């Protein structure tokens, strides 16, 4: 199942620095992602304005998943902050020490897991654009205003088609209302990656929580090959499979 | 894939109370599981004596997995203890309150997850026996002394065959040395259940950690049907699958 990279039309962004007060700000500062020569104020995520107004929790999830590592699984007292901006994981151990993140204090496996989540600021911003476009393509999603629809279509290179967004893993349509559902405190839709070590526009999507968990740290291709091998072994064992 | 229940030969146990000091002790107290009319001291887990001596961490894992709920995922300040003895989850909310576990304070989903883990003391003890027998059947496992081998064969109703223990999910042989391996702080072998809501001798086994995680809270049969449906959808989508 080769991934065909479609031609993507880039938008010329304004690019002005909008805010750099946080010690975790990217090296060049947070940037304005409105179109160059726009009127009015600069904004890093102008395409989230509508969703932030009508579905703020979903907009916050996009902003969080695009930028932050998921850290709950490795959180411990000496692990540093629970969630870390992905571009921060591109810094050297020395630079991280200056931010209060002591990589050398962590087990090699946890260090590797953190480093796996690294992504440039630019990729994080493009992921946020892609996730927003995917949300608008979900059944029962709100309808985007025309300007945001046009923006997202240009920056993702894809038209926004209603009722088109599918689970990255099982390919079933993902209903927007699943964002509201949570079982045992966990949302039923998660941000997912074809290759968990590539946080890029081409590589991200949404998935059902059980699908994303089952995929684990495998690439989608490896996951499909793995479950096919399980089914082949189960079939081969058939009814002769010992009960043990 | 129907599960064929084999005839199981029961051992007549001594059954004397060995210790009941803990407030979490089962209602009838902890019992001696040596054969009736044995010589020497009573013991709850006589079949773990050898493993406790040569591979103490594996023996401790068996004792823990047989008896305790896994609770890390729902642990929070007001969730009560992180791990709870499974038979305690058979008590009423009133009885639990007396033990400092306030079920009514928990979200319904967390309550349900806890209650799903309930099992009788007797089932927990039989699970420990089964897990011990499975460990001895793993490639590169230590060889059990004859008396323990004989004991486990009677209580599980199965001979202990070297190099026979397979992952409950993917059916590959499970190498004993995987107990020593850990990726990112998690052991590579986990205790698994054909039906995650049935903690019984017939229903438990070991699985690779990724296999157990992928199965999630599904029964094994549901898991196999689910991954087969995913593969069917991926195949149907084929190369026409849209990149989104």
């Amino acid at each position: 199942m080769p991934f065909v990279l479609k031609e993507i039309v880039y938008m010329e962004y304004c690019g002005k620095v909008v805010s750099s007060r946080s010690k975790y700000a990217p090296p060049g500062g947070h940037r304005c992602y409105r179109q160059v020569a726009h009127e009015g104020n600069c904004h890093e995520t102008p395409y989230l304005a509508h969703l932030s107004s009508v579905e703020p929790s979903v907009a916050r999830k996009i902003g969080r998943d695009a930028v932050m590592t998921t850290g709950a699984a490795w959180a411990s007292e000496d692990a540093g902050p629970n969630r870390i901006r992905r571009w921060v994981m591109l810094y050297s151990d020395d630079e991280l020490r200056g931010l209060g993140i002591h990589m050398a204090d962590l087990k090699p496996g946890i260090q590797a897991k953190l480093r796996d989540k690294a992504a440039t600021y630019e990729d994080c911003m493009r992921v946020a654009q892609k996730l927003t476009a995917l949300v608008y393509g979900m059944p029962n999603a709100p309808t985007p205003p025309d300007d945001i629809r046009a923006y997202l279509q240009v920056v993702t290179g894809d038209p926004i088609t209603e009722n088109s967004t599918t689970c990255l893993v099982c390919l079933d349509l993902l209903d927007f209302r699943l964002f509201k559902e949570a079982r045992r405190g966990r949302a039923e839709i998660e941000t997912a990656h074809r290759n968990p070590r590539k946080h890029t526009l081409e590589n991200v999507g949404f998935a059902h929580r059980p699908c994303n968990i089952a995929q684990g740290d495998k690439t989608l291709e490896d996951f499909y090959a793995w479950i096919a091998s399980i089914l082949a072994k189960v079939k081969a064992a058939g009814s002769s499979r010992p009960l043990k």
Side-chain angles (χ1 to χ4, degrees), chain A residues 123-160:
Chain A
D123 275 332
C124 291
M125 292 301 101
R126 306 211 67 215
V127 163
Q129 297 168 342
K130 171 71 170 286
L131 294 178
T132 307
L134 287 173
V135 161
Y136 281 123
M138 291 178 177
N140 296 303
T143 303
D146 289 346
D147 57 334
I148 287 181
R149 177 189 295 270
Y151 178 102
L152 289 171
Q153 291 185 349
V154 170
V155 298
T156 65
D158 262 326
I160 291 177

Side-chain angles (χ1 to χ4, degrees), chain A residues 40-185:
Chain A
N41 294 334
C42 286
H43 204 295
E44 189 180 34
T45 55
Y47 49 88
L48 274 174
H50 169 249
L51 217 49
S52 295
S53 152
V54 298
E55 295 284 352
S57 68
V58 176
R60 280 195 302 272
K61 177 179 172 57
I62 291 172
R64 194 169 58 235
D65 289 1
V67 165
M68 310 296 277
T69 64
T70 50
W74 49 264
S76 72
E77 275 191 57
D78 58 357
N82 189 9
R83 284 168 173 269
I84 296 175
R85 285 156 183 78
R86 287 174 184 264
W87 56 81
V88 169
M89 277 300 108
L90 295 168
Y91 302 172
S92 69
D93 282 14
D94 275 356
E95 291 168 310
L96 290 171
R97 202 171 302 123
L99 294 171
I101 301 167
H102 299 269
M103 295 297 278
D105 289 354
L106 302 176
K107 289 181 190 165
I110 295 175
Q111 289 189 37
K113 183 172 175 177
L114 276 173
R115 292 294 190 183
D116 276 355
K117 306 287 185 190
T120 65
Y121 169 69
E122 288 70 26
D123 275 332
C124 291
M125 292 301 101
R126 306 211 67 215
V127 163
Q129 297 168 342
K130 171 71 170 286
L131 294 178
T132 307
L134 287 173
V135 161
Y136 281 123
M138 291 178 177
N140 296 303
T143 303
D146 289 346
D147 57 334
I148 287 181
R149 177 189 295 270
Y151 178 102
L152 289 171
Q153 291 185 349
V154 170
V155 298
T156 65
D158 262 326
I160 291 177
T161 313
E162 282 177 23
N163 303 331
S164 72
T165 298
T166 53
C167 171
L168 194 73
V169 177
C170 81
L171 310 188
D172 279 348
L173 278 172
L174 272 180
D175 194 296
F176 181 83
R177 293 172 296 191
L178 281 178
F179 278 121
K180 299 284 168 58
E181 279 182 36
R183 282 196 312 163
R184 296 172 176 173

